[in-house]
Amino acid sequence: MVAVLDKRPMGVSPPRPDTRIDWRRVAYTLLVSRRIDELEETTLLPARKLLYQFSARGHDLAQILLGSMLDHKRDAASGYYRSRPLLLTLGLPLTDALGSPMMRAGGMSDGRDIGVVFNLPNRNGPCVLPVCGGVGAQYTPAAGWAQSLRYRAQVLGDKDSSGSIAVVLGGDSSVAANGFWSALTIATTEKLPMLFFIEDNGYGISVPSTRQTPGGNIAANLAAFGNLKVLDGDGADPAEAASRIVNAVDHVRTGNGPALLRLTVPRLSGHSAQDTQTYKSDEQIASERARDPLPALHRYLVPSRLSAQEWKALEVEAHDAVAAALADVEKLPQPDAEAITRHAFSENTDGKPELQRQGGLWPEGITFSAGSDTPAPEAQRTNMLTAIRRTLDHELTVNERVVVFGEDVGPKGGVHAATLGLQDRHGEARVFDTSLSEEGIIGRAAGMAAAGLMPVPEIQFRKYADPAEEQLNDIGTMRWRTNNRFAAPMVVRMPGGFFKCGDPWHSQTGEVKWAHAVGWQLAMPSNAADAVGLLRYALRDNNPTIFFEHRALLDSASARRPYPGDDYVLPFGKAAYLTRGDEMTVVTWGAMVARCQAALEKQGIAADLIDLRTLSPWDSEAVLESVRRTRRCLIVHEDNLTAGFGSEVAATVSEQAFMDLDAPVRRVAMPDVPSPHSPLLMDAVVPSVDRIGAAVTELAQY
C-alpha cells in the first residue's frame, strides 16, 4: 500500500474512529433502511406498488458509516442503484425514499425514473449527484466534482471547497467498466480529493468477482498504483469498517490525493427482487447471512454503548417512522401525465427561468448582460477558427467559471488550433489537457457542471464522441429525469465533416444523433460570425450544447466574416435567409450552405436559401413560411440520407404544408456509407455543387 505521511503535531494521537461516529444515529439509520427494504420486498413489490427493487441489505452499514463522515459543505457523493442507505444518512426524506420507488408525484423524479436512481441536490451541504442506470457511469462525474473542488478553492477562492471531497460508490463488478479506469486515471494523475468506495459483495448479478478483476480483489491489484492510497477491509464488521472509512476520508481531506477503499460486504438479497440466486449454493447463502452487519452492529453496541432497551426503542422508532412515511406517500397523487414533456430543456414561467436546484451557473446567481443579436463588425474578415478562438478567449476573460479542456487543447492549442495560446493567457487550471478518454472528458464535465462551473470539453472529431455516448446521454436527460432538480449546462466542441479528404474516423457528421438526443442543443454554424454568436449564446445558456465545428469551414474563404464584436449573441432556433426568391425553398446547414448558394447562382434559380444554423431547436416556422410561398422545398445535408435530419424537415413540411406544395419534397444527402478516404471517392458521395444544381433544376421544372 502507498505510505501516507501523518501530519499531526508531535505527541498528538489520532482520535479513535469510533469516537467520531454517532453510533446511535448509525443504528437508527440502519434500522430504517432495513425496514424500507423489508417493506418493499414483502408488501409493496408483491402489490405492484413499485416495479423495481434493489435491496441494500448487507451494504447498508458501510454506507451509513461513510455518510456520517461527509459533513463538509462541498462534499458530494456519486452513487449507484444500491446507495439508498448513504442518502438516508445525508438527509434523504423518508417520503422520497419510499415515494420515488412507488412512482408518486414529486420526489426525486416525479415518476420519471426508476426509484433506485436517487439524487439529492444541496448547494449548502453534502449532495448526491444524480444516479445513472448504467454500471460504472458514476465514476467520471465524481472525478469532475473533485477537480471542481480544487478549481473553486484555488481559482474562485471558495473556502468551503478546501477540505471537501468527492466520493464515488461502486460494486465489485463496476471496477471492470471503462468509467472506473478513466476516473482512476483522472484522480491519480491530477491528485484529486476523491475517494473510490468499492462495496465488494462477490457478484455482479450471477457473475463472480473473479470474472471482473484478477483474483477478485481490486484493492490487491491496485496496491502499487501511483498516487493512490489503497485500503481493504470488512464492511460488515462495525469497528473495522469505521476505522477503514475514517482513515480513507482523512487521507483525502488532508490533501494527500485520492484513495480507494474496498470493503467486503454480504449480498443478503439477490441482485434485484427478480433474482432468486439459484446460481449460489446453500452453503454460500448461509455464509453470507452469517455476516449480516445488523446483528454484528447489535453485538458491537449492546450493551457497551447502548442498552437493550435503547436498541429496542430505536427499532420501534424506525418502524414507526417508516410506517408514517408510507402513510404520507399513499396520500400523494400519481404523476401528472400532461407534464411529462416538461423539463427536457430549461424553461421559463411567467417570463422568469424556472431554475434547477443544482448545476450550472444560473442557480448560483451568475448572470450576464443580454448582449445583442445586431453585430458590430470589424473591418477585416476573419476565418471561423480565429473567431471561435477569440470567443473562447473573451468568455474565459469575463467568466472565471469557464474551463476549457480535452486532448491536446493546452500547449498544442488543439489539433485544429482553436485553443492556441489560451493556456498561456488563462493558465493551466482553466485550459488543460486530459488523458485520452472521451468517457473521462465528458463525464468529468458532468461533475464540473453540477458543481457550478461552465465546462467546455473538446472532442477532437465527431466519431470520437462514440465512447462517451453514455455520459452524453446521461447529461442530456439529467434535467428531465430529475424533474428539474439537477442540470449540467456545458458546451461540447466537436469538429467533424469532410475536409481535403475523408475517412470513416475523422470526417463524419452524424448530427442527427444529437438532434435526436433528449436535452441537447445543437449548433452547426456555416460562417465565422454565426460561430461567434452561437458559441457565446451557448456559453451563457442554461442547457448543454453540442457545438459542431465543420473542418472544411474553419479556414475556408466562404466562411470568413468580419468579427461581429464581443457582445454579439445569436439565439438558438433562429434561421438565416441568405437569399430570397419565389421559385423554391432550399434548406441546409453547415458546409452545405456555400455549396447550395453556388448551385443556385450557377443554375440561375431565385430561391429562398435558409441556413438553419441550429438543429436543436430548429426554426420550423421560417421553413414553413417560406415553403407556403415558394411551394417547393429542397433539403441538402452532408449526413447520410436515411433518417438524416433532412427527414425531419421533410416530414414537417409534408405534414404542415402539404396543401401548399406543387412538387414533392426533395433531399440531397450522402448515400448510406461512411465518408471514404480517397478525394475521388469522397467527392462522389458528399453533395457537390453540380449534384445540388441538378436537383434544383429538376425541382424547378417539376
Side-chain angles (χ1 to χ4, degrees), residues 323-467:
L326 178 61
D328 290 339
V329 170
E330 295 279 22
K331 299 173 186 176
L332 294 175
Q334 298 294 329
D336 181 5
E338 293 185 1
I340 193 58
T341 58
R342 296 200 62 204
H343 301 310
F345 295 94
S346 180
E347 298 178 6
N348 291 335
T349 301
D350 297 328
K352 296 181 179 180
E354 189 174 335
L355 295 180
Q356 64 274 14
R357 289 168 60 181
Q358 187 155 358
L361 306 177
W362 292 20
E364 300 206 12
I366 307 300
T367 59
F368 306 94
S369 61
S372 173
D373 60 1
T374 301
E378 298 177 353
Q380 185 176 353
R381 288 159 59 90
T382 187
N383 64 16
M384 186 187 288
L385 183 68
T386 304
I388 290 169
R389 187 189 305 128
R390 282 189 64 175
T391 306
L392 290 172
D393 185 18
H394 181 265
E395 295 304 302
L396 281 161
T397 300
V398 301
N399 182 3
E400 62 183 352
R401 297 191 179 220
V402 172
V403 283
V404 176
F405 54 94
E407 298 159 27
D408 300 306
V409 305
K412 181 177 175 59
V415 293
H416 299 97
T419 59
L420 189 63
L422 295 184
Q423 188 178 88
D424 290 339
R425 283 178 54 82
H426 300 283
E428 192 172 347
R430 304 195 63 202
V431 181
F432 57 89
D433 289 326
T434 67
S435 51
L436 199 158
S437 169
E438 285 75 22
E439 151 84 27
I441 292 170
I442 301 302
R444 179 189 327 213
M448 288 181 163
L453 303 184
M454 171 48 76
V456 188
E458 178 184 292
I459 300 296
Q460 286 186 340
F461 297 95
R462 160 65 189 89
K463 179 67 173 63
Y464 295 178
D466 291 354

Side-chain angles (χ1 to χ4, degrees), residues 17-295:
D18 58 2
T19 65
R20 297 167 59 180
I21 293 171
D22 183 345
W23 286 104
R24 178 185 293 273
R25 180 180 173 224
V26 169
Y28 173 74
T29 308
L30 179 55
L31 291 166
V32 166
S33 180
R34 286 298 177 94
R35 178 55 188 152
I36 293 175
D37 281 336
E38 179 187 16
L39 185 65
E40 289 179 339
E41 290 171 332
T42 62
T43 304
L44 300 179
L45 189 66
R48 296 192 62 79
K49 292 186 176 182
L50 55 85
L51 304 178
Y52 277 90
Q53 203 278 335
F54 288 79
S55 173
R57 290 190 295 137
H59 292 241
D60 35 21
L61 173 62
Q63 288 187 25
I64 293 165
L65 290 170
L66 173 66
S68 69
M69 297 298 296
L70 300 182
D71 55 5
H72 283 44
K73 186 173 180 178
R74 301 285 184 214
D75 284 349
S78 185
Y80 67 118
Y81 49 81
R82 221 180 291 280
S83 297
R84 182 165 56 193
L86 174 82
L87 281 104
L88 290 171
T89 311
L90 294 179
L92 177 71
L94 291 183
T95 50
D96 280 359
L98 280 165
S100 292
M102 292 174 67
M103 302 166 285
R104 295 305 176 98
M108 287 168 288
S109 76
D110 200 39
R112 298 174 179 217
D113 207 342
I114 57 178
V116 296
V117 288
F118 298 108
N119 63 80
L120 191 63
N122 188 357
R123 291 192 292 110
N124 292 298
C127 76
V128 179
L129 303 182
V131 174
C132 302
V135 174
Q138 69 269 33
Y139 287 103
T140 51
W145 184 281
Q147 188 160 1
S148 79
L149 291 174
R150 187 172 67 189
Y151 186 91
R152 292 182 68 116
Q154 296 179 357
V155 179
L156 304 183
D158 177 16
K159 295 180 180 179
D160 291 324
S161 292
S162 297
S164 293
I165 66 173
V167 178
V168 60
L169 291 77
D172 50 286
S173 295
S174 69
V175 302
N178 293 341
F180 171 80
W181 292 100
S182 178
L184 190 66
T185 299
I186 295 169
T188 52
T189 58
E190 300 290 337
K191 299 181 182 178
L192 297 177
M194 180 173 176
L195 171 60
F196 294 79
F197 189 82
I198 307 303
E199 304 162 42
D200 190 343
N201 65 28
Y203 281 88
I205 306 183
S206 66
V207 179
S209 57
T210 51
R211 294 282 185 177
Q212 312 293 350
T213 190
N217 185 340
I218 191 63
N221 293 334
L222 294 175
F225 208 88
N227 296 333
L228 182 70
K229 180 181 178 66
V230 179
L231 300 101
D232 201 357
D234 185 352
D237 180 281
E240 183 175 344
S243 176
R244 295 290 189 273
I245 290 168
V246 169
N247 191 348
V249 170
D250 282 352
H251 172 85
V252 180
R253 280 212 197 282
T254 51
N256 294 299
L260 181 143
L261 171 59
R262 169 189 177 254
L263 293 175
T264 56
V265 296
R267 195 180 75 185
L268 301 179
S269 299
H271 168 73
S272 66
Q274 290 75 29
D275 179 14
T276 59
Q277 302 200 91
T278 55
Y279 44 84
K280 289 183 180 179
S281 67
D282 292 341
E283 291 76 14
Q284 285 176 298
I285 293 175
S287 175
E288 288 182 311
R289 289 176 177 170
R291 295 185 59 231
D292 187 340
L294 179 56

